[in-house]
Amino acid sequence: MKSIVCAKQFDKSYLEKIFVLAKQAEERNHAYFGNIFPRMVLMNLFYEPSTRTRTSFSMAAIQLGIERMETEAAGHFSSAAKGETLHDTIRTISSMKPPPSVIVLRHPEDGSAEIAAEVSESYGIPLINAGDGGNQHPTQALLDLYTIKEEKGRLDNLHVVVGGDLLKGRTVHSLIYLLTKYNDIRFTLIAPGQLQLKPGLIEYLREHEVPFIKRDTIEGNIGDADVIYWTRYQTGRHEGNAPATELIIRGENCEEMKKDAIIMHPLPRIKEIAVEVDKDPRARYFPQSGNGVPVRIALLQNLLG
Ligand code: NCD
């Protein structure tokens, strides 16, 4: 497979392959992979802040013996600060002799990864979308799906509650594309009206005959959920102030949840999950984040192997 731009592009057999490789990577637990990627270089090109995605791509590369080049805050420290277009930056990086083996891009504009991938691929270099504005975050969706599979033991027959900023939260968009590939999935979409899922994704659910309901409160809507996937308000991707409605999962909400439900969050958590929830065994967001490394090892093995 070439560049990874949108979660829609993964089919079930690809997902299964990634899950097997990720499980193997987890079981190796630091055991050296051998010199399987001699002199390969991964370039992390991040125009937006990141903790988990950037460090887990780096850790995955280290585990595989791939060298790394890091450009943190590329908006300030690359030539973007001088007015260079993303197009020219990708051309420049791809023209290096030798060029990097893969570019991992995070950028604030929707659709930027697709444009950048077209440029890098014209040089034979795959590009991985590590988040493009409020659009997609396909590798996060891979680790989210892997987490659900590990925690619940299945990917079919799930009631998934997604909540928070469904309009601009890119991880939810990618996750919906992936879960829709499985059987007997239904969604409850919890958000204040102005932060509900955009029409394109609602249409996608209808086209794929995936049942969903829209709600705007937590109370009374999570009792039957197998997975509760919560997200933060995407400050900076909206004009104006945050909506007055605050959807915060607190200790008392957990009483309503099924015993075997799991609570997920792509992180960073701001205040939308109260800290008291962390000690509930159903809170799985930190193990979820840890799964970023084996899943990205799997992804790089498959892409560069
Ligand atoms: C998410 C992102 O960047 O979209 N974080 C992540 O990559 N784990 C979620 C967020 O920033 O809210």
Side-chain angles (χ1 to χ4, degrees):
M1 190 193 262
K2 37 183 187 33
S3 294
I4 293 170
V5 172
C6 176
K8 246 189 209 175
Q9 75 188 71
F10 303 133
D11 58 24
K12 261 176 139 173
S13 70
Y14 174 84
L15 296 172
E16 286 311 315
K17 194 157 141 195
I18 292 297
F19 298 155
V20 170
L21 288 171
K23 192 75 206 161
Q24 285 169 2
E26 238 187 286
E27 283 162 1
R28 295 176 77 94
N29 190 27
H30 280 277
Y32 184 50
F33 275 82
N35 195 21
I36 47 174
F37 297 108
R39 317 283 308 144
M40 283 204 177
V41 179
L42 173 144
M43 167 131 202
N44 265 333
L45 184 62
F46 277 59
Y47 288 81
E48 273 189 343
S50 169
T51 301
R52 281 146 288 270
T53 307
R54 198 166 52 80
T55 53
S56 63
F57 265 112
S58 288
M59 183 57 95
I62 290 167
Q63 296 302 312
L64 289 167
I66 298 171
E67 302 285 333
R68 293 152 304 125
M69 287 165 72
E70 302 274 349
T71 307
E72 237 182 291
H76 298 292
F77 298 124
S78 75
S79 280
K82 302 178 190 168
E84 186 174 58
T85 61
L86 178 63
H87 185 278
D88 283 1
T89 301
I90 300 291
R91 276 192 81 167
T92 305
I93 290 168
S94 307
S95 303
M96 282 195 282
K97 294 179 180 177
S101 320
V102 57
I103 300 170
V104 181
L105 175 73
R106 171 168 287 189
H107 195 274
E109 276 166 41
D110 291 30
S112 51
E114 194 178 343
I115 295 166
E118 263 174 42
V119 179
S120 70
E121 280 190 3
S122 71
Y123 289 83
I125 301 165
L127 183 136
I128 300 173
N129 180 5
D132 61 328
N135 185 34
Q136 284 284 305
H137 194 345
T139 69
Q140 176 71 36
L142 288 179
L143 78 93
D144 291 344
L145 213 65
Y146 180 74
T147 304
I148 297 172
K149 189 173 154 66
E150 287 291 294
E151 298 282 340
K152 300 295 301 174
R154 63 181 197 275
L155 288 167
D156 294 314
N157 182 26
L158 292 168
H159 176 201
V160 182
V161 172
V162 291
D165 188 346
L166 306 184
L167 182 66
K168 298 287 185 182
R170 56 195 171 199
T171 66
V172 167
H173 304 163
S174 293
L175 183 63
I176 284 178
Y177 282 146
L178 292 196
L179 278 171
T180 303
K181 295 180 192 293
Y182 291 85
N183 300 320
D184 300 320
I185 300 292
R186 65 191 170 97
F187 288 102
T188 297
L189 312 169
I190 304 183
Q194 67 272 46
L195 299 185
Q196 260 298 349
L197 215 52
K198 55 189 172 190
L201 273 157
I202 294 284
E203 201 43 49
Y204 189 85
L205 291 175
R206 289 208 177 103
E207 268 169 30
H208 290 79
E209 296 177 357
V210 178
F212 67 90
I213 51 172
K214 291 183 193 174
R215 293 290 181 266
D216 59 9
T217 55
I218 297 174
E219 292 73 20
N221 292 315
I222 54 171
D224 181 38
D226 299 303
V227 176
I228 295 147
Y229 188 99
W230 222 244
T231 61
R232 72 182 171 106
Y233 177 73
Q234 294 293 328
T235 326
R237 291 198 194 126
H238 294 277
E239 282 161 23
N241 297 325
T245 336
E246 289 206 326
L247 293 169
I248 300 175
I249 299 185
R250 301 182 199 280
E252 66 246 35
N253 299 112
C254 296
E255 289 164 24
E256 203 190 312
M257 294 172 192
K258 288 207 288 200
K259 275 202 169 57
D260 64 348
I262 56 168
I263 311 168
M264 297 174 67
H265 191 305
L267 303 178
R269 169 256 312 268
I270 312 303
K271 55 180 179 179
E272 61 286 345
I273 298 182
V275 174
E276 73 216 26
V277 174
D278 296 2
K279 59 181 186 296
D280 189 302
R282 291 167 292 190
R284 306 309 292 155
Y285 25 92
F286 288 105
Q288 172 190 355
S289 142
N291 286 337
V293 177
V295 167
R296 289 180 171 116
I297 287 176
L299 191 145
L300 292 173
Q301 271 183 297
N302 187 63
L303 187 72
L304 301 175

